[in-house]
Amino acid sequence: MLRRLSYRLLVLVSAVALLNALVGPALAASNARVTNDGSANSYARYDGGTDAALTACSTGRRPQNEPTVAVDPHNVDVIAAGSNDYCLQTTGGDVWAGYYRSTDGGGTWSNSLVPGYPGDTSPAGSASGTSGVCNAAGDPTQSFDNSGRLFYGFICFNRAKPSNGNFYVATYENDGADYVRTTAVATGTPSVWGIFNDKVNLVVDQTSGPRSGTIYVGWVKYPGQAANNVLQVARSTDHGVSFSKPVRVSQGLGEEQFADLAVGPDGSLYATWRIFAHQKSTSVDIWTAKSTDGGLTFSNPVRIATAISAFDGEAFDQAGACGDGPFTCASGLTYPRFASLAAIAADASGVHVVWNGRLPSGQSKVFVRNSPDGLSWPTAVAQVDAIAAGHQWFPDIASADGTITAIFYDSRADPAYSPDRPSGNAATGANSGNVVNVVAAHSTDGGVTWTEATANTAGSNLNWEQFGSRRSSFMGDYIYVSAVPGRVVGAWTDTRDVVPGADPRETGASDDADGFDVFQGGCVYTPNDINAPSYSSPLISDACLSQGGLDSNIYAGGL
């Protein structure tokens, strides 16, 4: 065990040094851990009080992933963030929307949960539309307006019937300090085959134009057993008190997913999304659309990338995500789910869309395409860089002060990299070390050329078997960047704090040598895994789960 840990430390140091040599200086001084869930009283309620859930969250050391971040244009020292926060598992049994805030430019953070979680009997919690309706929340998305109001979008659902699948927006005022309300945007139906609203995105018009302060929300509506889902957009013109009836943006060609929105300097609204090729008549495509009337109508969608080779988990094993025990895959690899996704930004130079996809070699690269107006796309698709090592995936993009910033995961420093394997897996299926980094790419010429720098001060391996029943991994479906004049900040899921260990259920004949097991502590195993009832797993409430084996966190840094 000591030899293994020493080797990983050596790999980490070498990987970060190599990455710095390849892409430029690390932004070392700007890193901060956002989710401080390892000390008493670190989580507080919206009103400064506490309860059993937040007391448990403070020392729970549970996973947080799928972050969002927003810089306040009213006061750039204020930054808000959010995540899927599993700290609620001990008392509430599931995940909730975490809310985190910094008033010193991201140096230190206060932690909380959006009101309305199970067990929240405070006045705001009881008044929330989520109270008693859904017991799990996630898919966070955030944006400020110019007056310091923060709007926090999230979905709320039940894993068992009734599933619901609702979309809400919470409002915080006074530079994100004071919670005000939670408003329902779209409501699912209480049936396993009913309507489910998912993969949400929110942006606020931060221009000085006539629609300044308008909130736009985009999401995908899954219509029960129907074959196709559609991207919808709604808006609020009263600071999140109410939202309009949604308008349909996409064509419903297939599974259309992961909407991303941006507002340009003239107040035009842009949307991008991806199609998953689950039907014979579809391919993996990236689409865009534009609205010039405040989201009331949209242009005909434009396909800007056709039949891309997707960097999806299914490319390496048909299961799409692989762990241990009941989650073991025939490939022998260990990795969470991931997919090729797109993001959009708009500025004075035009509209810019990034996504990731595989080259013929199998390497995942970040691609960019630029448009002068979001309708015509005269320039060809280009790669952000041409380095031949490592996968690059989960890009996000934003623009301010004449600089476009894209952020993404990057494994170019992995000594065991192969285009035929997910990042962090050696040829034997073993852990190749904390070799996944976060890279920020910058362009000052409208997205034509890019320079890069590492954004993290320590690498990650996103394959730790530390999610759900502790035999599989999950890193979320995206990372985030926010840019306003005067500050750019990125946020990502980070596993530097995960405590490695050994799994006592493994006897040496299965997968105990892969190096992805985490600290088990004094877990008491019970056959509670719904995927394999005879398989022994610890209960969610077991105190052993608060000893660091699950401790993925959200980190943020200036870019």
Side-chain angles (χ1 to χ4, degrees):
M1 181 61 67
L2 291 177
R3 287 195 300 271
R4 180 183 296 172
L5 290 176
S6 298
Y7 169 73
R8 286 181 186 161
L9 179 60
L10 177 62
V11 169
L12 171 59
V13 173
S14 300
V16 173
L18 174 61
L19 186 66
N20 290 342
L22 291 172
V23 304
L27 303 171
S30 61
N31 264 213
R33 176 169 163 172
V34 174
T35 47
N36 300 298
D37 56 355
S39 59
N41 305 314
S42 56
Y43 276 66
R45 202 167 55 201
Y46 68 95
D47 58 1
T50 191
D51 54 32
L54 295 176
T55 297
C57 282
S58 295
T59 57
R61 300 178 73 183
R62 299 301 177 93
Q64 291 94 21
N65 50 52
E66 207 162 85
T68 179
V69 69
V71 181
D72 183 0
H74 184 252
N75 178 357
V76 297
D77 285 334
V78 174
I79 306 167
S83 78
N84 297 334
D85 198 324
Y86 290 82
C87 74
L88 191 66
Q89 286 182 329
T90 299
T91 60
D94 215 313
V95 64
W96 200 257
Y99 176 55
Y100 324 114
R101 181 171 176 265
S102 173
T103 59
D104 60 3
T108 60
W109 294 81
S110 60
N111 294 175
S112 187
L113 297 177
V114 175
Y117 48 87
D120 182 4
T121 59
S122 69
S126 299
S128 172
T130 67
S131 180
V133 174
C134 42
N135 60 20
D139 282 15
T141 177
Q142 296 176 330
S143 183
F144 280 96
D145 68 11
N146 289 330
S147 299
R149 299 182 189 89
L150 176 76
F151 303 99
Y152 186 136
F154 62 97
I155 64 170
C156 195
F157 60 97
N158 299 311
R159 297 192 192 275
K161 297 179 183 179
S163 60
N164 294 318
N166 303 333
F167 179 13
Y168 295 91
V169 171
T171 300
Y172 292 79
E173 293 184 343
N174 298 322
D175 296 310
D178 299 324
Y179 171 82
V180 179
R181 72 180 74 85
T182 295
T183 302
V185 177
T187 303
T189 52
S191 167
V192 69
W193 289 113
I195 293 172
F196 196 98
N197 301 284
D198 202 7
K199 307 306 178 189
V200 299
N201 191 253
L202 181 152
V203 68
V204 178
D205 185 332
Q206 295 176 350
T207 72
S208 59
R211 289 187 288 273
S212 179
T214 299
I215 310 162
Y216 299 103
V217 288
W219 72 98
V220 169
K221 177 182 177 182
Y222 282 93
Q225 298 186 61
N228 297 345
N229 57 314
V230 295
L231 167 63
Q232 302 185 129
V233 168
R235 68 177 190 170
S236 173
T237 58
D238 55 11
H239 310 307
V241 175
S242 63
F243 284 82
S244 66
K245 182 179 179 180
V247 298
R248 177 171 165 170
V249 179
S250 64
Q251 311 97 311
L253 296 176
E255 185 180 354
E256 299 164 340
Q257 269 284 22
F258 291 103
D260 196 57
L261 305 177
V263 176
D266 65 352
S268 294
L269 175 65
Y270 302 90
T272 189
W273 64 95
R274 172 203 160 159
I275 291 183
F276 285 75
H278 292 326
Q279 288 123 316
K280 292 182 179 179
S281 60
T282 60
S283 59
V284 180
D285 303 328
I286 306 298
W287 292 78
T288 64
K290 176 180 181 178
S291 174
T292 58
D293 58 7
L296 298 178
T297 62
F298 281 82
S299 65
N300 290 329
V302 178
R303 181 166 48 187
I304 65 168
T306 303
I308 68 172
S309 178
F311 183 66
D312 297 348
E314 289 81 356
F316 301 99
D317 193 289
Q318 63 181 1
C322 299
D324 280 353
F327 307 101
T328 299
C329 291
S331 64
L333 302 172
T334 302
Y335 61 92
R337 80 182 189 205
F338 51 82
S340 290
L341 304 178
I344 194 167
D347 58 19
S349 67
V351 182
H352 319 282
V353 178
V354 291
W355 66 92
N356 69 292
R358 302 183 80 184
L359 298 173
S361 67
Q363 181 188 17
S364 177
K365 297 296 293 181
V366 172
F367 297 92
V368 62
R369 195 166 186 186
N370 305 299
S371 166
D373 57 8
L375 296 174
S376 61
W377 297 83
T379 58
V381 174
Q383 292 177 205
V384 169
D385 68 53
I387 191 165
H391 293 303
Q392 299 169 353
W393 75 106
F394 276 8
D396 194 27
I397 190 170
S399 183
D401 293 326
T403 298
I404 308 166
T405 301
I407 186 173
F408 46 86
Y409 285 128
D410 193 303
S411 68
R412 68 183 69 177
D414 185 352
Y417 162 73
S418 168
D420 300 320
R421 291 192 301 274
S423 299
N425 280 262
T428 59
N431 187 333
S432 62
N434 287 346
V435 294
V436 173
N437 292 280
V438 178
V439 168
H442 302 94
S443 175
T444 57
D445 58 6
V448 178
T449 61
W450 298 81
T451 59
E452 296 176 301
T454 53
N456 57 304
T457 53
S460 286
N461 193 306
L462 302 171
N463 305 323
W464 292 105
E465 293 151 358
Q466 49 123 6
F467 183 76
S469 64
R470 293 167 61 88
R471 309 310 306 273
S472 59
S473 54
F474 180 63
M475 62 180 176
D477 291 325
Y478 48 82
I479 60 177
Y480 234 89
V481 61
S482 175
V484 302
R487 194 176 295 277
V488 182
V489 176
W492 59 90
T493 304
D494 196 300
T495 66
R496 70 181 74 180
D497 304 304
V498 171
V499 179
D503 191 334
R505 292 165 291 186
E506 298 173 0
T507 61
S510 57
D511 48 12
D512 58 338
D514 62 11
F516 290 113
D517 296 333
V518 298
F519 183 66
Q520 304 287 308
C523 285
V524 177
Y525 294 97
T526 55
N528 69 306
D529 187 341
I530 61 173
N531 295 302
S534 64
Y535 190 78
S536 179
S537 295
L539 294 170
I540 297 175
S541 58
D542 197 312
C544 73
L545 301 181
S546 299
Q547 297 184 37
L550 306 183
D551 198 18
S552 62
N553 286 289
I554 305 306
Y555 275 74
L559 307 178

